[in-house]
Amino acid sequence: MPGLNVVIAVDGSKHAEHALQYYIDQLHRPDHIVTALYTTPPIIPAFYSTPYAVMTTDIVAACHRDQETHAVKLKVSCDEIAKNLQNYKFVHLKDIESPGHGIVNYVKENNVQYVVIGTRGLGTVKRTILGSVSDHVLHHVHVPVTIVSN
Amino acid sequence: MSSKTVVIAVDGSKNADHAFEKYCEIMHLRSNKLIALHIEDQLAIPADQALTLSESHYEKICKEHNEDIEALKANYRSKAQRYHIEKYEFRSLLNREPGVLICEFAENVGAIQIVMGTRGLGLIRRTVLGSVSDYVVTHAKTPVTIIPMAAN
């Protein structure tokens, strides 16, 4: 049976964790090949500089390490949630300025046929119902998208 | 394994047809119970005839309306059969606010997801949600799956 590529977008938020768990409990099918997809932005020294402090290479290196630490932590928790899946992997895309664009491009480039995403993630304005990344993905991929609310 | 209920909103459009097929193809689990939910619009009575409508004419409109629903029901039933959906139901409900009804219905039956099509614009890359799909995505407590028309 040919497999179907499925992407669950994660970002470290509880909403994303819930979306992954919900997919596994309610939506998963044995022929789904699952990818938990995580994107991180580029670390641009100039962007983080202020008039009072310029980012030194030490700080840049620290930011990279920080990013890596978070990614590893997230991978560990996703791997744990997905431990009973046959076909599963965690993918960390780096230097992605816009998570929405990053996810949409990954979907196009990897023949992904189904996307699962939460209604919102980290650092979103609480009064919007659908977060900006979820909204972007929903409107720009040409495959089925499941939006998992809490 | 306990049965999980999936509600799919249908309206007889090509978008709904496609959503139905796509759900069956890539998401349906044999243990799922699929409910095709059709929200009836009000009867289409031409405004200039509303006051002078004869009983027989009204009956004719009702009959055509019911025939349309029966045809729609048969269409989706044959799709369900083609995909060997064992637990399948078709429900047609009358309501003015389809978005509200879909959300409430899904909650009442404890659905694990609501499946809907979009109002795809064909050549335009960006999929455009119809007003009902948009309402359901933003208001449903139940997870919603939007299935666009195929782009390529």
Side-chain angles (χ1 to χ4, degrees):
Chain A
M1 191 195 291
L4 288 156
N5 289 328
V6 180
V7 156
I8 322 294
V10 296
D11 67 350
S13 66
K14 283 263 175 305
H15 305 278
E17 197 178 295
H18 172 75
L20 178 60
Q21 188 69 66
Y22 195 86
Y23 164 78
I24 290 168
D25 293 341
Q26 315 285 17
L27 308 172
H28 176 70
R29 232 168 62 160
D31 61 339
H32 287 177
I33 300 166
V34 182
T35 301
L37 184 66
Y38 175 52
T39 74
T40 49
I43 292 164
I44 306 164
F47 186 81
Y48 295 98
S49 299
T50 69
Y52 307 102
V54 172
M55 272 186 99
T56 62
T57 48
D58 291 345
I59 296 174
V60 171
C63 285
H64 275 108
R65 277 197 303 274
D66 219 25
Q67 215 179 61
E68 199 52 44
T69 309
H70 279 117
V72 166
K73 230 164 69 174
L74 181 58
K75 180 180 186 305
V76 164
S77 70
C78 288
D79 288 357
E80 173 62 27
I81 294 171
K83 64 183 179 229
N84 294 322
L85 292 186
Q86 298 282 40
N87 284 308
Y88 157 83
K89 67 178 189 276
F90 181 92
V91 168
H92 175 194
L93 295 178
K94 300 184 193 182
D95 297 322
I96 306 289
E97 272 181 49
S98 157
H101 285 101
I103 294 165
V104 171
N105 287 336
Y106 184 90
V107 165
K108 286 183 184 157
E109 287 162 13
N110 294 276
N111 188 32
V112 173
Q113 286 147 285
Y114 178 30
V115 176
V116 177
I117 193 166
T119 47
R120 53 179 46 193
L122 296 169
T124 51
V125 178
K126 297 242 178 338
R127 57 183 167 78
T128 62
I129 293 155
L130 198 61
S132 61
V133 176
S134 308
D135 189 74
H136 182 91
V137 171
L138 178 62
H139 285 94
H140 289 86
V141 296
H142 300 292
V143 297
V145 178
T146 297
I147 313 258
V148 180
S149 43
N150 281 42
Chain B
M1 188 195 289
S2 66
S3 172
K4 296 170 186 171
T5 303
V6 173
V7 171
I8 177 159
V10 297
D11 65 355
S13 66
K14 282 208 178 68
N15 305 59
D17 280 4
H18 180 255
F20 194 104
E21 304 250 350
K22 218 39 181 183
Y23 162 79
C24 293
E25 214 182 287
I26 73 172
M27 286 185 258
H28 181 70
L29 282 155
R30 292 217 23 225
S31 53
N32 282 358
K33 175 180 170 189
L34 182 64
I35 302 179
L37 181 65
H38 173 245
I39 314 292
E40 279 185 57
D41 272 333
Q42 293 174 279
L43 292 175
I45 297 170
D48 60 341
Q49 295 174 27
L51 292 177
T52 58
L53 205 62
S54 69
E55 198 176 316
S56 61
H57 192 181
Y58 178 73
E59 275 175 19
K60 179 164 171 285
I61 292 174
C62 285
K63 186 161 166 286
E64 276 171 13
H65 180 79
N66 288 334
E67 278 165 7
D68 288 344
I69 294 177
E70 287 302 312
L72 199 147
K73 181 174 174 176
N75 173 37
Y76 288 114
R77 167 151 288 284
S78 76
K79 282 190 210 293
Q81 279 168 352
R82 191 154 30 93
Y83 284 98
H84 311 292
I85 313 272
E86 289 166 15
K87 289 172 249 186
Y88 168 79
E89 253 177 61
F90 178 92
R91 304 275 285 272
S92 184
L93 305 176
L94 182 65
N95 192 273
R96 286 167 207 251
E97 292 174 63
V100 175
L101 186 54
I102 291 165
C103 293
E104 282 179 5
F105 183 86
E107 227 182 298
N108 290 341
V109 299
I112 57 158
Q113 64 167 318
I114 299 168
V115 179
M116 308 189 71
T118 59
R119 192 150 319 227
L121 293 182
L123 297 174
I124 298 175
R125 288 304 214 167
R126 189 189 155 94
T127 61
V128 176
L129 295 183
S131 61
V132 178
S133 305
D134 191 60
Y135 180 93
V136 174
V137 166
T138 47
H139 292 84
K141 294 201 177 87
T142 315
V144 179
T145 299
I146 300 289
I147 302 184
M149 293 291 272
N152 308 311

